[in-house]
Every structure is written in structure tokens, then in C-alpha cells.
Amino acid sequence: MVAELGHFALILGFVVAILVTIVPLVGAYMRWPGWMRFSETGSNALFLLTVTSFGALTYAFVVSDFSVKLVWMNSHTAKPMLYKITGVWGNHEGSMLLWVLILTLFGAMASWFGNGLPPTLKARILAVQASITTAFMAFVLFTSNPFLRLDPAPLNGKDLNPLLQDPGLAFHPPFLYLGYVGLSMAFSFAVAALIEGRVDAAWGRWVRPWTLAAWIFLTIGIGLGSWWAYYELGWGGFWFWDPVENASFMPWLLAVALLHSAIVVEKRESLKSWTILLAIIAFSFSLLGAFITRSGIITSVHAFATDPERGVFLLLIMGVFTGGALVLYAARASVMEAKGVFGMVSRESALVVNNILLAVSAFIVFIGTMWPLFSEMFFDRKLSVGEPWFNAAFTPIMVLLGLVLPLGAMLPWKRGKLGRVALKLRVGFVLAVAIGALFWAVQTGRSSLGPVGLFLGAWLIAGSATDILSRGRKGEVLNRLRNLPRADWGKAVAHAGLGVTMAGIAGLIAWEQEDIRVLKNGEQFDIAGYTIVLNGVEEVQGPNYLSTMGDVTLLNGTREIATLNPEKRVYPVAGMPTTEAAIDIGFFRDVYVVVGDAQVGGGWAFRTYYKPLANWIWGGAILMAIGGALSLSDRRYRVAAGARQTPSTTVGVAAE
């Protein structure tokens, strides 16, 4: 009965979503307060119904109700409870229900925290959000029903994909979806503003916290996915430019551009047209990601499903919302007239450059991801675009972005003098050059990537510190820093985090060392000044897997640093092996050990990596997320931006 309750709640939610799509739009057009207020009541009801549906599916997984087909296909009684719960979204149908849940959550939050919005705008925002929810509820109900029953019920399940039975990947999808789906709020704000015929500084203030929240979640989700790939897959990499990885990275890049562009709308009432377009395209790329992941049109190790029918449905959703929004965008071009005027050397110009570089980088990733498909469709040629192409095309754009970011962050609004800003940054620039030169000198003729990356990282960190310290006159710095808005601190921390990540990526790629060999018990070898000793390999029984576990000692000279236990697991129910790398984590390096198969002549295959600055990659991502959270906690976002509307406007709407 619980599964039927969840199914019924989803159907009822679909009906409510249709009503919330239509009634508030009519109410806003006719200026009927009651109909407009229905958007809030309906959004809350929609959220509660979706929570009920998702809760029912979760219950089915927790109690191992194998009469539900989805539970039978993705669970097992021997599976640990954590993975029973995360199995809810470790499949296509459940993950799409999670997608709908997050859509309704953001709609409900807009009704809770949007009291300062003009009533007509708020009603239209919630109606647009409900229209997206309607489309995805239809997708779930008609193509991906998670509540289908089996009769008779099997005695046990087929188990979850073993690669997903990991803490890192257990929490990766919810964060990623909070980011993906969170961009729907920016889309709803943009479309509602176009319908309203009003894009102004207040709109820029309203849309920023929603975009910032989505970007924070995307940052955490991408970071978790990268970290999981690093230690779980056993290949030692952190990014493969896989189509599904790219599908999350493109919205992230566009969300960064949207955040910076919205600042210009808020401060100067410029770039309105571009900002609205970014809000539309950013969410469109989220829809593209759903299409890539679930249509089977592009092969990926991360893909959820390969059903063409689902792909066509998702393509239709993407076409309707993206196409409809762009038609409305063209029709409302007159309401997006820029008011602010600024010089060539100004913060506005720097943010335009920032947006151009981010948009170009997203376009590069899009071309590389979709080109194999375009090539096969239009030229009847099968091509692949791999890591070398992405690195060659994408890296120069990021280098340019890293170079201009500290300068642009310190330029004043409207007009400024580049020489004055450069003078303030001279110490940071000299320090960054010195760090890059030092590593260039000691690396003895290797790639220039490492020194250049460390220079950029140091330049961004030093630029962020200089920006903060320059906010007060000598003798007043501490008092001024104490009173700085959290958004300023957030900007500095996020920019510094980008610098840390850049340095980590460059150092890892430039100076990584790899060793592959066969080891017998008691044998040892050296890598990057460390000694690896194999003590033995044994078979271990896990809760729902069998493990071949190595016992490895890591020495620095004669001093023992760590005992490492790399594993090769086999999950009997799923019939699938996984690799569990053993990593000694350090601030400046990782030592990474993977055990392979037993060899015919005796011994075991071992792969060992020395990875300098590896954890700086994820440390930088954490700093970026912290910077975003600091900005989001700024008092200016907590106080309703809608206070800018005049009392007469509110009274007039209520009277009508």
C-alpha cells in the first residue's frame, strides 16, 4: 500500500502542478490577488505531495520491498543500509523523482522567502517553476514510473551497481541535482521578468542568491564526483572529459558567468539582455545534461539509461522550454534596454571579459562533447574527442581568465585606471612570478605547465588577499576588514579557491609519477623518494562482497609513514568487480596504490602513483563552496530585496 500511496501522491502532484502553472498566470494578468496567492499555496502542496511520493519510494528500499520492480533491480537484503537509502537515486527512475522533488523544493522555498517580491512577479515565477515541474512529472509518470509492481514478488534483489556503493558517490547525485535543478529558479526568474516586462536592478538582486545557491551545490557535486573517480576507479585521474562529466561542468561555467553578469545588472543596470540570456541558456544546459545522461545518444560510463523514447521526451522538454523562452526573449527585447554607462577600463568591462571567457570555455566543452554525435549524423564519420583536445582548447581560456581576474576584481565601477590597480597588485605579482620561477628552475626541463599553473594559483590567491587588505587606509585596515560585507569575503575566498584548484591541477598533471610492476611478498621498490613494501595479500569477506586486500607499508627512508590496504572487490550478486585504491594523503602529495590480479608466475600486479598537490584540487573546490556560502549569508541577501518596490505599487496591486 505504501508504494500505491507514493504513486497516487505523484499523480495528484501532477494535477496540482498543472493548476499552479495556469491559475497564477491568469491571476497576475488580471491582477486578482486570490489567484496570485494560489501560487504559494499550490507550490507548498506540490512540495508536500512530492515529499510523500519520494518518502514512499525510500521506505520501499529501506524495507527491501522487492514487489516494487525498481527495488528488485537496484537493491539486495545484504546491502548496507546507507546504500539501500542511496539506491533510491542510484537509478534512472528514482533519480528523476529526486529531480522532481528538488524542483518542488525550490518552488516552495521561493514562496517561503519571496515575501519581498512584487505579487505579480512572484506569481509568475512560481507558475513558470510549476510548468517545469509539470513537464518532469509527466516524464516520470509516463516513461519512468518508479512504483511499478512485480507479481509474484522475488525473494531477493539484483543489487545496486557496485560502483555506486561508495560514500562519495552516495551523496554526489543529490548535490549535483540541487545545482542542476537549482538553475531552474534563475530560468523562472528570467522568464517571469520577461512576461512582467521588467528587468531592473532589483531583479538582479533577487536572482543572484538563487543562482549562487545552485552554483554552490554544483561545485560540491562536481567536486564529490571528481574525488570519487580519483580514489574509486583505480586509474588515478580526477577528470576524464567524459560526456556526463562535461554535462555538469557546462552549467557550472555558465552559472559563474550568470553570477558575475547579475552583479552588473544590480549595480549598474547594464548587461540586462545578456544576463537574461545566460539564465535561459544555463538551465538549458542542465536539461541537455539530463538528455545526454538518459537518452543513450552518447556513450558514457556514467549514463543512467539508454532508452530512445525517454530521450525523445527529454528533447521535447528541452525544446519547449528553451525555444519558448528564447521566443519570449526576442519579443521582449525592448524591456532590456541598458541604462548604465561605463568606460573601457572599469569593473563592468572586466566582468564582460569574464563572461566572454566563461561562455567561450563552455562552448568549447559543448563542441568537444557533441562533436562525435554531429560527425556521425552529418558526415557519417565516427570520431572521438579525447583529453588532449580538451586540454589544448580549454587550458588557454582558463589561463587568460586567471590572469585578468585579480585586476578586474579590484577595478572601480564606471571607470578606473589600470595602472593604479596594477600598482596595488605589484607585490602579489612579484610573489607569483617568484614562485613560478622557482619551480621552473627546480623541475629540470619538464613541462612548463607546472610552473605556469603555480604562478596563476599564487597570482589569484595574492590578488584576493590584496583586494581584501586594500579596503582600508593604513592603521584602519583591521577595523575595516571586521566590518566588510560577507559577500566581499566570499568573493575573495572563492577566487583564492580557484587559484588553489588551478595550482593543484597543474602540479598533478606536470609532476605525477607512475610505477606498474609485479610484486611478491616481501619485495619492495622506490618511487619519488618513498619505499613501497608488500607484506602480503589476503582474501577478505565483506558485508556483500569478496575482497582481495593487499598489505603495503609506505616508508620514507627507514621511517614507516603508513600501512596501506588496496582492495580488489567482487560483488557476487551483481557479478561485477571494483577497485578500491589505498591512498596516503598528504598536504603536498598523495601516494596512491592499487592492487591488480594474481600473476601466473607468482606475485600480484601493483600500480603506484606519486601525485603532487592532488588534494589541492578538492581543497580549492571546498574553498570555492565556502566562499559562495559566505556570500549567500550576506545580510543584503537575507533582507528582502523587494523592499525597493514602492508602497504605492503594493497597495495598488492589492486593491486591484
Side-chain angles (χ1 to χ4, degrees):
M1 282 298 295
V2 175
E4 280 69 30
L5 174 64
H7 193 189
F8 176 75
L10 191 62
I11 295 170
L12 186 57
F14 179 58
V15 175
V16 173
I18 295 173
L19 292 175
V20 180
T21 300
I22 298 171
V23 173
L25 287 178
V26 175
Y29 180 77
M30 301 299 296
R31 297 298 196 271
W32 293 342
W35 286 46
M36 287 189 283
R37 284 195 298 271
F38 176 76
S39 64
E40 301 179 36
T41 306
S43 295
N44 289 322
L46 190 53
F47 174 59
L48 290 175
L49 288 167
T50 313
V51 167
T52 302
S53 182
F54 191 82
L57 185 62
T58 303
Y59 176 81
F61 270 87
V62 168
V63 301
S64 297
D65 182 0
F66 297 119
S67 68
V68 178
K69 183 179 179 181
L70 193 67
V71 180
W72 170 69
M73 292 179 65
N74 295 279
S75 192
H76 191 272
T77 52
K79 192 167 65 171
M81 180 56 68
L82 172 64
Y83 303 128
K84 287 185 179 181
I85 295 172
T86 59
V88 176
W89 55 78
N91 55 81
H92 168 74
E93 290 83 358
S95 67
M96 289 312 302
L97 186 58
L98 176 64
W99 183 291
V100 172
L101 175 65
I102 295 172
L103 273 173
T104 61
L105 171 63
F106 274 95
M109 289 177 66
S111 73
W112 302 337
F113 302 116
N115 292 330
L117 294 169
T120 53
L121 180 63
K122 183 176 182 180
R124 285 167 172 147
I125 290 169
L126 294 177
V128 175
Q129 188 73 7
S131 70
I132 302 170
T133 304
T134 301
F136 277 95
M137 278 190 163
F139 177 74
V140 172
L141 286 169
F142 299 136
T143 73
S144 310
N145 187 353
F147 296 105
L148 296 177
R149 289 284 197 176
L150 292 174
D151 187 21
L155 295 176
N156 218 327
K158 299 172 69 175
D159 207 0
L160 180 67
N161 184 335
L163 287 175
L164 305 182
Q165 296 186 41
D166 177 87
L169 208 66
F171 302 106
H172 159 69
F175 279 107
L176 201 62
Y177 284 15
L178 282 165
Y180 261 152
V181 182
L183 288 174
S184 66
M185 283 307 301
F187 177 87
S188 296
F189 267 86
V191 173
L194 291 174
I195 297 172
E196 186 98 351
R198 176 185 172 186
V199 182
D200 55 13
W203 179 88
R205 171 69 63 84
W206 290 323
V207 78
R208 278 182 63 196
W210 297 101
T211 307
L212 184 57
W215 176 81
I216 293 169
F217 288 126
L218 260 181
T219 302
I220 296 171
I222 292 172
L224 280 172
S226 173
W227 179 55
W228 167 81
Y230 173 70
Y231 72 79
E232 173 68 21
L233 298 183
W235 62 303
F238 63 94
W239 195 259
F240 191 63
W241 295 107
D242 178 89
V244 177
E245 291 175 337
N246 296 346
S248 62
F249 191 41
M250 289 183 286
W252 186 89
L253 291 168
L254 292 170
V256 177
L258 176 58
L259 279 172
H260 290 83
S261 181
I263 296 173
V264 183
V265 176
E266 178 190 349
K267 300 291 186 182
R268 303 290 301 147
E269 293 216 35
S270 296
L271 301 187
K272 294 179 184 179
S273 178
W274 172 244
T275 305
I276 291 287
L277 184 61
L278 273 177
I280 294 170
I281 294 177
F283 181 59
S284 298
F285 270 82
S286 293
L287 297 178
L288 176 66
F291 172 71
I292 288 174
T293 309
R294 298 162 199 283
S295 65
I297 199 166
I298 293 180
T299 303
S300 167
V301 296
H302 300 84
F304 270 111
T306 57
D307 188 341
E309 180 185 351
R310 292 169 176 169
V312 171
F313 203 121
L314 286 169
L315 193 62
L316 181 62
I317 292 174
M318 185 170 65
V320 167
F321 283 97
T322 304
L326 290 176
V327 168
L328 184 60
Y329 173 82
R332 288 291 198 175
S334 60
V335 306
M336 295 179 285
E337 182 181 355
K339 294 182 180 179
V341 178
F342 52 88
M344 286 294 294
V345 179
S346 62
R347 185 172 297 187
E348 294 94 327
S349 294
L351 289 170
V352 169
V353 172
N354 161 286
N355 270 230
I356 292 172
L357 292 174
L358 287 167
V360 169
S361 64
F363 181 70
I364 288 171
V365 178
F366 172 76
I367 291 297
T369 304
M370 302 302 291
W371 186 250
L373 174 62
F374 295 154
S375 176
E376 187 170 355
M377 287 177 60
F378 300 116
F379 306 111
D380 197 25
R381 295 179 61 191
K382 291 190 176 182
L383 298 176
S384 62
V385 179
E387 184 177 358
W389 185 90
F390 281 106
N391 289 342
F394 186 81
T395 302
I397 305 297
M398 288 296 103
V399 171
L400 284 174
L401 182 65
L403 287 172
V404 303
L405 197 152
L407 289 166
M410 292 187 65
L411 280 169
W413 294 103
K414 198 170 184 180
R415 64 177 59 89
K417 294 184 178 179
L418 192 60
R420 182 178 296 177
V421 174
L423 190 63
K424 292 181 180 179
L425 286 165
R426 66 188 184 280
V427 175
F429 182 76
V430 170
L431 176 63
V433 170
I435 291 173
L438 173 64
F439 281 92
W440 180 279
V442 301
Q443 72 169 2
T444 61
R446 293 190 183 181
S447 165
S448 62
L449 178 62
V452 169
L454 287 175
F455 159 74
L456 284 174
W459 170 234
L460 285 167
I461 296 167
S464 299
T466 303
D467 185 19
I468 288 293
L469 293 174
S470 65
R471 297 305 181 93
R473 292 186 294 273
K474 190 175 182 180
E476 299 178 355
V477 174
L478 290 179
N479 287 332
R480 185 68 184 272
L481 293 182
R482 193 179 297 114
N483 297 319
L484 271 182
R486 291 184 188 176
D488 291 344
W489 281 105
K491 178 184 76 170
V493 172
H495 288 180
L498 178 61
V500 172
T501 295
M502 281 187 171
I505 291 172
L508 177 61
I509 293 176
W511 301 317
E512 177 186 62
Q513 296 183 39
E514 179 183 8
D515 183 281
I516 302 175
R517 66 176 63 214
V518 175
L519 286 178
K520 297 180 179 179
N521 292 352
E523 291 185 341
Q524 65 183 49
F525 68 96
D526 295 332
I527 181 171
Y530 294 91
T531 301
I532 303 289
V533 182
L534 175 61
N535 302 315
V537 177
E538 60 179 342
E539 302 295 324
V540 177
Q541 174 71 55
N544 62 333
Y545 60 83
L546 301 173
S547 171
T548 300
M549 180 184 293
D551 181 7
V552 175
T553 300
L554 177 64
L555 303 173
N556 186 0
T558 58
R559 181 170 63 91
E560 182 176 332
I561 297 175
T563 298
L564 303 176
N565 299 112
E567 295 182 66
K568 186 178 181 67
R569 295 178 180 176
V570 176
Y571 290 76
V573 175
M576 181 176 176
T578 66
T579 300
E580 305 290 326
I583 308 172
D584 181 56
I585 298 173
F587 185 77
F588 291 107
R589 59 90 187 120
D590 280 358
V591 177
Y592 182 110
V593 182
V594 178
V595 63
D597 296 324
Q599 303 300 297
V600 176
W604 300 81
F606 274 83
R607 183 187 296 114
T608 307
Y609 297 96
Y610 171 76
K611 294 181 171 292
L613 306 184
N615 287 290
W616 289 32
I617 298 171
W618 303 288
I622 293 170
L623 283 175
M624 283 188 274
I626 290 173
L630 281 172
S631 295
L632 193 60
S633 68
D634 193 296
R635 182 177 179 275
R636 290 174 293 180
Y637 292 141
R638 297 198 303 273
V639 175
R644 293 187 181 189
Q645 62 177 312
T646 62
S648 60
T649 302
T650 308
V651 173
V653 170
E656 289 178 42

